[in-house]
C-alpha cells in the first residue's frame, strides 16, 4: 500500500501566514509514517510569500505570475508525486491530528 501525501497550497500575498502553515504541517502526528511533500504554487505575489515558503522548507515552490486559482491547482497536481492529494488554503493551519 502506498503511503505518500502531496499537500498543495495555492497562494497570493500570504507572507504573513505561510510559515505558520508549514510549521503546522511539520508538527503533524504521523504514526503511520506517511511520506509528505509540500508544494506551494504562487500566483504572482507582490510580497515575499514564495521566498518564505522556500525558506520554511516547502518541497517545491512554483511561481506562476498572473495565474488564476484553477491553473495553480492544476500545476500543483502535475508537480505532485504523492499517492494522495490534499489542497490546503495558504492562510490555514492543519490540526496536529489531521492524518489520524
Amino acid at each position: 500500500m502506498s503511503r505518500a501525501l502531496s499537500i498543495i497550497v495555492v497562494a497570493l500575498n500570504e507572507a504573513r501566514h505561510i510559515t505558520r502553515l508549514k510549521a503546522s504541517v511539520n508538527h503533524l502526528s504521523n504514526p503511520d509514517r506517511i511520506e509528505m511533500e509540500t508544494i506551494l504554487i504562487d500566483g504572482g505575489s507582490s510580497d515575499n510569500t514564495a521566498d518564505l515558503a522556500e525558506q520554511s522548507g516547502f518541497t517545491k515552490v512554483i511561481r506562476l505570475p498572473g495565474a488564476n486559482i484553477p491553473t495553480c491547482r492544476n500545476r500543483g497536481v502535475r508537480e505532485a508525486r504523492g499517492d494522495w492529494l490534499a489542497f490546503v488554503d495558504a492562510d490555514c493551519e492543519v490540526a496536529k491530528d489531521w492524518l489520524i
Side-chain angles (χ1 to χ4, degrees):
M1 179 164 87
S2 298
R3 303 184 95 56
L5 171 66
S6 296
I7 299 172
I8 301 166
V9 179
V10 173
L12 182 66
N13 296 323
E14 295 291 352
R16 68 177 188 244
H17 300 291
I18 206 67
T19 55
R20 194 172 64 235
L21 166 60
K22 183 62 167 96
S24 73
V25 170
N26 290 348
H27 291 99
L28 281 169
S29 294
N30 190 358
D32 294 328
R33 304 188 68 80
I34 295 168
E35 291 182 44
M36 285 183 279
E37 69 174 346
T38 49
I39 302 168
L40 181 114
I41 309 296
D42 186 282
S45 295
S46 59
D47 64 9
N48 60 341
T49 297
D51 293 334
L52 287 172
E54 288 173 339
Q55 293 168 14
S56 63
F58 273 76
T59 308
K60 295 180 184 178
V61 177
I62 310 293
R63 291 170 170 87
L64 291 179
N68 60 25
I69 292 170
T71 298
C72 290
R73 285 184 182 150
N74 288 336
R75 177 65 182 271
V77 169
R78 285 194 306 275
E79 294 289 332
R81 298 293 172 245
D83 302 293
W84 302 303
L85 304 176
F87 294 91
V88 178
D89 290 340
D91 63 348
C92 293
E93 295 177 47
V94 295
K96 186 174 179 147
D97 63 352
W98 187 49
L99 297 177
I100 298 175

